[in-house]
Amino acid sequence: MKVRLVLGLAAISLGVSVGAVNLQPQPIKAVTTASTTPKAYRGSWFQYENLQYRVKVTKSAFIFGGGYYAKQQWHPVDQKTYRLSRTVKAGTCTWSKKTDANGYQTIKIKNGKFLVKVKQGTLTVKQYRHGKDVNGYPLYFHHVAHAATVFSK
């Protein structure tokens, strides 16, 4: 009788422990994200109007913000760098592989996202924070191959 009781309790405890393991949350991984940034986006992009804002896209980072060129060097002011990652955390981003109906790709960051697309040498950027459009209109940037020599005087 004691043997059956011990075996019964062992079976119940094993079942409870296996059930508890299956209830633990599994990390969510982005399936449709790019492992590197698309080549069409890489480089330095500037606004011609005021030359105070830049988007720089490298193989593994998306850099967005203000600054200025002086003595052939970029001096950042309120610039944010987001490293490409498989999950979104502070300072990282994910880059979607697919485009939406308007041709934009999504860069997800913590508490927001950027919608970006390249068309005829112009990078269009829409910035969203907490689900709201930050600027209310898209920003346009132009690719400049050797920005330091062009903008530094």
Side-chain angles (χ1 to χ4, degrees), residues 25-92:
Q26 300 297 323
I28 298 172
K29 292 185 179 179
V31 178
T32 61
T33 58
S35 58
T36 60
T37 59
K39 289 183 181 180
Y41 293 91
R42 293 183 196 169
S44 294
W45 302 81
F46 295 90
Q47 288 183 315
Y48 281 143
E49 300 85 46
N50 51 19
L51 302 177
Q52 294 178 351
Y53 295 98
R54 172 183 84 159
V55 172
K56 184 174 181 180
V57 181
T58 65
K59 185 177 180 180
S60 61
F62 176 77
I63 304 163
F64 182 83
Y68 61 94
Y69 260 107
K71 298 181 182 175
Q72 296 190 354
Q73 188 172 5
W74 177 254
H75 299 277
V77 176
D78 195 28
Q79 177 176 288
K80 301 289 183 196
T81 301
Y82 303 100
R83 297 279 169 211
L84 197 61
S85 175
R86 291 189 60 79
T87 58
V88 176
K89 297 181 269 188
T92 66

Side-chain angles (χ1 to χ4, degrees), residues 87-102:
T87 58
V88 176
K89 297 181 269 188
T92 66
C93 68
T94 60
W95 194 301
S96 69
K97 285 184 179 179
K98 295 183 179 182
T99 59
D100 65 7
N102 296 321

